[in-house]
Amino acid sequence: MSGAARAEHRVLIIDDHVLFAESLELALSLEGYDVRRLELPEEGGSMATIRSLALRRNPRTVLLDLDLGRFGDGMNLIAPLAKAGINVVVLTASEEIGRWGGCMRLGARRVLPKSGALQQALATVRRLHQGLPVMSPDELETLLDAWARERRDHDEVRQRLDRLTPRERQVLGSLIEGRTVRMISEDSVVSEATVRTQVKSILNKLEVSSQLAAVGLAHQVGWQQGV
């Protein structure tokens, strides 16, 4: 493949880890690709800002980090970029295969672990440039199945949380904040025995055996009191 042909393939790197992004930029540049790093705003800005800046660059391929620091979850960029006809290749330190499947469902072409991602990213960009597949049907099915299982588990946990009464939701919210039974009883002006009874009911409804497990379950699905 000629350098001129590769130079027509514009690659945009969206990653708030500067050293990693610079390494990718250098490696792709040495292979002859037109590659740039998206400069993230040091102050202000939002995910919508990043989306607008990325689309304005009109890349053929985007190498996207899922964890964009203060800007939030890079998954929010996948669908709009893919809809614009851009090849989205996700780079992530996350080992949650269900989350990888979620990326594919939103339109990503491939998800790569950040450990050892440099050579894999280069190989993926080469194949995209050549119009070749970058993931086998079996790999894709595995990731989508993992996403579906995670979604079912998420929905099941949500259903358990929906069983809580308004008072139990308040108590669980307090436990998440790190407050003890004694502190909750003092705040609510009720006996510790009453709070313990409420905690026991929460554990039964969530089908867990400890306060720590209840808090972990709530965190798992991003539960918030009143939501």
Side-chain angles (χ1 to χ4, degrees):
M1 186 188 305
S2 70
R6 286 180 174 174
E8 296 173 359
H9 191 127
R10 183 173 300 161
V11 180
L12 183 64
I13 300 169
I14 305 178
D15 195 319
D16 65 332
H17 298 89
V18 177
L19 291 178
F20 182 80
E22 287 179 342
S23 298
L24 277 176
E25 182 181 26
L26 177 60
L28 287 163
S29 295
L30 290 173
E31 292 223 355
Y33 295 102
D34 176 6
V35 56
R36 298 286 186 277
R37 285 185 297 114
L38 187 68
E39 297 292 340
L40 302 179
E42 293 184 4
E43 296 182 2
S46 63
M47 194 63 73
T49 304
I50 297 176
R51 180 178 67 244
S52 178
L53 290 171
L55 291 173
R56 198 177 304 162
R57 293 291 186 90
N58 193 31
R60 182 171 171 186
T61 296
V62 165
L63 301 180
L64 173 67
D65 184 12
L66 279 191
D67 181 7
L68 293 177
R70 67 183 181 85
F71 295 99
D73 192 341
M75 283 187 75
N76 295 313
L77 294 174
I78 296 174
L81 294 179
K83 187 176 180 180
I86 298 168
N87 298 312
V88 181
V89 178
V90 172
L91 307 174
T92 179
S94 171
E95 297 180 355
E96 300 174 34
I97 301 303
R99 194 177 183 207
W100 290 26
C103 292
M104 299 304 298
R105 185 174 176 274
L106 290 170
R109 296 296 302 277
R110 192 174 184 188
V111 181
L112 299 173
K114 271 202 165 181
S115 57
L118 186 58
Q119 291 304 317
Q120 292 186 70
L122 290 173
T124 300
V125 172
R126 288 190 203 110
R127 292 185 68 83
L128 288 171
H129 181 65
Q130 295 167 359
L132 299 173
V134 293
M135 177 172 285
S136 72
D138 286 345
E139 289 176 312
L140 177 59
E141 184 178 357
T142 296
L143 293 183
L144 293 178
D145 284 348
W147 174 84
R149 286 195 302 272
E150 185 176 279
R151 192 67 196 176
R152 286 194 296 271
D153 292 344
H154 182 285
D155 290 343
E156 182 182 332
V157 171
R158 275 286 178 183
Q159 289 172 8
R160 293 185 211 167
L161 287 162
D162 287 343
R163 299 174 194 162
L164 302 182
T165 66
R167 174 55 186 163
E168 289 166 351
R169 294 172 71 88
Q170 291 175 355
V171 172
L172 179 57
S174 295
L175 293 174
I176 290 172
E177 292 172 357
R179 303 186 73 76
T180 64
V181 167
R182 174 175 293 182
M183 294 167 69
I184 296 171
S185 71
E186 292 174 349
D187 292 342
S188 307
V189 196
V190 296
S191 69
E192 290 186 34
T194 297
V195 176
R196 288 196 186 92
T197 298
Q198 293 164 342
V199 169
K200 183 177 181 181
S201 177
I202 291 170
L203 301 186
N204 287 336
K205 289 180 179 179
L206 297 186
E207 301 175 25
V208 295
S209 59
S210 69
Q211 295 177 30
L212 184 61
V215 170
L217 208 60
H219 280 308
Q220 179 183 320
V221 298
W223 181 87
Q224 296 179 25
Q225 182 183 338
V227 177

